[in-house]
Amino acid sequence: MYSLSEEPLITRPQIDERLKELAESIKAENFDMFLSTLTGGFMFTADLCRNIASSKLEIEFIRASSYGDRTETSGDVEISGFEGLNIQGKKVLLIDDILDTGNTMSKMKKTLLALGPREIKTCVFLDKKGRREVDFEADFVGFTIENEFVVGYGLDYANMFRSYPEIWTVRETDGK
Ligand code: IMP
Ligand code: MG
């Protein structure tokens, strides 16, 4: 069982304002490609694209999964979708929803670096700094949050709440 916070942790106006600032700094770097991580990164990536609107920007997706149906990570990260991806010589922005233990982002970045890009930078919408297990910092961060499980804006709890347009907090209540 779970319960959802009564108010959003991060509201839509706060997200929209931060998106504009982020888009401005990202645009200045002239990336060739946004490489977005499914499923959680889809809404953030779409909003970033809308705020950047560059004719030459390529958009690609890979998939990473580490969570089961609960709020604790399983630790093993499965990454797929690299087949046929051409990032050779390109400046790539790797995008994900949230940086938690850091395992997912650091594994994805390592795998991508082996494919010969000119440069890889990373961008996450949320950063739970207090949960890091591997040494990893993103180049662009939307918001830094406390160690709470959050949903909405692409992020899920057991595949629920992804379509909520703002960020909410979820607590597991263990059958109560
Ligand atoms: P990491 O490998 O521990 O950094 O975990 C990153 C992945 O775990 C993210 O891409 C999310 O899919 C998922 N995740 C971590 N924290 C949360 C959360 O609070 N809500 C929803 N998903 C989360
Ligand atoms: Mg994810």
Side-chain angles (χ1 to χ4, degrees), residues 5-174:
S5 52
E6 278 171 23
E7 301 285 333
L9 177 68
I10 307 174
T11 64
R12 199 56 230 185
Q14 288 172 318
I15 294 175
D16 288 334
E17 196 184 323
R18 186 70 188 115
L19 278 168
K20 282 190 202 131
E21 296 165 355
L22 268 181
E24 206 167 305
S25 14
I26 290 172
K27 199 169 182 172
E29 295 227 17
N30 287 315
F31 286 98
D32 299 304
M33 183 191 287
F34 280 3
L35 183 57
S36 173
T37 313
L38 294 171
T39 305
F42 83 96
M43 209 181 277
F44 177 44
T45 304
D47 275 353
L48 271 183
C49 290
R50 271 190 272 261
N51 277 274
I52 287 171
S54 150
S55 61
K56 288 188 185 149
L57 185 61
E58 288 180 65
I59 316 288
E60 294 286 352
F61 292 88
I62 51 177
R63 179 174 291 275
S65 26
S66 59
Y67 278 88
D69 281 359
R70 293 180 65 87
T71 55
E72 279 304 312
T73 179
S74 65
D76 330 309
V77 184
E78 255 180 67
I79 305 172
S80 57
F82 290 109
E83 318 77 33
L85 180 71
N86 178 13
I87 60 167
Q88 196 142 30
K90 293 177 187 171
K91 179 168 173 173
V92 177
L93 183 67
L94 174 62
I95 303 171
D96 202 0
D97 50 3
I98 188 165
L99 194 50
D100 188 26
T101 63
N103 285 306
T104 307
M105 265 300 201
S106 79
K107 187 169 174 190
M108 288 195 294
K109 189 173 176 185
K110 223 175 268 171
T111 311
L112 289 169
L113 282 171
L115 300 178
R118 183 166 90 253
E119 191 177 356
I120 303 258
K121 286 202 174 180
T122 55
C123 175
V124 290
F125 181 64
L126 299 174
D127 187 355
K128 282 196 226 174
K129 280 200 188 305
R131 294 253 311 159
R132 217 66 103 243
E133 287 172 8
V134 297
D135 189 17
F136 192 94
E137 293 306 324
D139 298 293
F140 302 93
V141 173
F143 295 91
T144 299
I145 60 167
E146 297 300 313
N147 179 18
E148 296 178 291
F149 200 82
V150 291
V151 294
Y153 201 56
L155 293 107
D156 74 307
Y157 167 70
N159 261 322
M160 297 183 292
F161 306 114
R162 283 199 203 276
S163 64
Y164 282 28
E166 56 288 288
I167 294 289
W168 300 75
T169 308
V170 162
R171 288 217 172 86
E172 285 189 327
T173 50
D174 267 347

